[in-house]
Amino acid sequence: MAVTETQALLILPPIAMGIVIGIYELVLIHRDENFNNSHWLGHGLHTFIPIIVGLLISFNVPFFLEQFGGSLPTWIQNELLIRITIALIIAIKINAISAVVPGVAGRGMREKFIHSLVVGALVAIAPYIWPFIAPFAPTWLGGSNVGQ
């Protein structure tokens, strides 16, 4: 009898990585802001939702391909291609969020697009980084650190 390995749906690791990447995005928004009051924090919190949703999708690409991969065209069954597409969508979404929020003279916060691309790239490579972070993360977060 052959044994097959099944992929589990990951929820807590993407949320944890989403918080870390979201904080990094807040730092970038604060650095790129066009106004000098404290609205950057309230407006910057909007970026957490797309980042976490993107990470939930990115982390679970193998799970969804295992479930539905047979019914998809072969060109869309490439994990890396799916993650790059997610990264571009997240970068565009984050850049659009920063452009809509009003700043000085109605210009918006105007985060630099390269910063949005960096955050999108972090969303795409987070599943590849997680195995290196997992040994240091607590077990309730999906890591393998049991504490000593």
Side-chain angles (χ1 to χ4, degrees), residues 54-85:
L55 282 166
L56 283 166
I57 296 168
S58 186
F59 266 81
N60 291 301
V61 166
F63 175 79
F64 289 114
L65 285 178
E66 182 179 311
Q67 300 298 317
F68 308 109
S71 62
L72 297 173
T74 54
W75 63 271
I76 206 169
Q77 293 181 15
N78 186 340
E79 284 184 35
L80 189 58
L81 179 64
I82 294 171
R83 288 186 174 129
I84 290 171
T85 305

Side-chain angles (χ1 to χ4, degrees), residues 2-105:
V3 176
T4 60
E5 183 179 335
T6 59
Q7 190 72 25
L9 187 66
L10 296 171
I11 295 181
L12 291 178
I15 292 173
M17 292 290 285
I19 291 170
V20 171
I21 295 172
I23 291 170
Y24 175 68
E25 171 64 13
L26 280 177
V27 170
L28 293 177
I29 285 176
H30 179 58
R31 203 167 86 189
D32 291 342
E33 69 176 10
N34 287 338
F35 48 88
N36 51 10
N37 54 16
S38 63
H39 289 139
W40 66 271
L41 179 63
H43 296 306
L45 293 177
H46 289 103
T47 61
F48 277 85
I49 294 170
I51 289 172
I52 291 174
V53 168
L55 282 166
L56 283 166
I57 296 168
S58 186
F59 266 81
N60 291 301
V61 166
F63 175 79
F64 289 114
L65 285 178
E66 182 179 311
Q67 300 298 317
F68 308 109
S71 62
L72 297 173
T74 54
W75 63 271
I76 206 169
Q77 293 181 15
N78 186 340
E79 284 184 35
L80 189 58
L81 179 64
I82 294 171
R83 288 186 174 129
I84 290 171
T85 305
I86 293 167
L88 290 174
I89 292 169
I90 293 298
I92 291 168
K93 175 70 174 160
I94 287 174
N95 200 43
I97 289 172
S98 73
V100 171
V101 176
V104 170

Side-chain angles (χ1 to χ4, degrees), residues 14 56 81-82 110-111 114 144:
L56 283 166
L81 179 64
I82 294 171
R110 299 308 309 165
E111 179 178 10
I114 189 70
S144 57

